[in-house]
Each structure stands twice: as C-alpha cells, then as structure tokens.
Amino acid sequence: MTGAPKTLTEVRARIDALDAELVGLLAARQSLVRAAAAFKTDSRAVRAPGRVEQVVAAARERAVAAGLAPEVAEAVWRAMIGAFIELELGEHARPAGDAPA
C-alpha cells in the first residue's frame, strides 16, 4: 500500500493496519514497563514526574522531525504514560507472588 489512498475504505484499511502495529508496539512497551516496575520501590518512583517530562519532550522533538504535530504527540504520550503509570501502580499494589493479568 503505497501512494495516496484513493478511497475512504483504503484510508480506513491503512489506519487499521497501523493500529495493529501500534498494539504490538504497546504490548512490547508494557512488557518493559512491567520490568521497570520491579526496580521501583514506591509510587513516587513509579510516577517519576521528571522522567515523564523527559519522555514527553523527546516525543515532541521526534514528532517535529517526523512531520507529526507536536501537540498531538504530547497528548498521546501523556495519555499513554498515564495509563502505564496506573498499570505500574497496580503492579505495586498487588501482593507479592500474584501474577499480572
């Protein structure tokens, strides 16, 4: 699928294909987030506001270089990071020995 899409159906098919790739990448990120959670001792370490700002700034820079609106990148990254922070906090709240869902 190269070139400009010629129909709305083709646009949607391409978006669906990208979404499938994104889900795979998010699953890989989740695995790393869970690994990172093992190194963190409390909710402050999980929330890591300085790290959040560093990651968001990097996403904005990469967005500009890739032709993506930096505001879109920031909104997406903040939502993603927020969701993964909640996941990590859940990891810390779960009693030791319980397997992740």
Side-chain angles (χ1 to χ4, degrees):
M1 284 192 290
T2 58
K6 301 204 183 320
T7 66
L8 180 56
T9 299
E10 187 179 349
V11 169
R12 288 177 174 164
R14 289 186 189 191
I15 288 171
D16 291 346
L18 287 172
D19 286 350
E21 290 180 46
L22 288 169
V23 168
L25 292 170
L26 288 170
R29 193 180 199 284
Q30 175 179 281
S31 180
L32 292 169
V33 165
R34 283 191 162 137
F39 296 101
K40 299 175 184 177
T41 57
D42 58 29
S43 64
R44 182 166 168 24
V46 170
R47 293 184 192 284
R51 173 65 177 153
V52 169
E53 294 311 312
Q54 178 186 29
V55 171
V56 169
R60 287 182 64 92
E61 289 175 16
R62 290 180 186 126
V64 169
L68 172 65
E71 300 81 12
V72 171
E74 180 171 349
V76 169
W77 256 257
R78 287 194 186 279
M80 176 182 64
I81 291 167
F84 281 124
I85 286 172
E86 290 304 313
L87 180 77
E88 273 192 83
L89 290 172
E91 298 279 322
H92 279 274
R94 189 176 38 253
D98 283 1

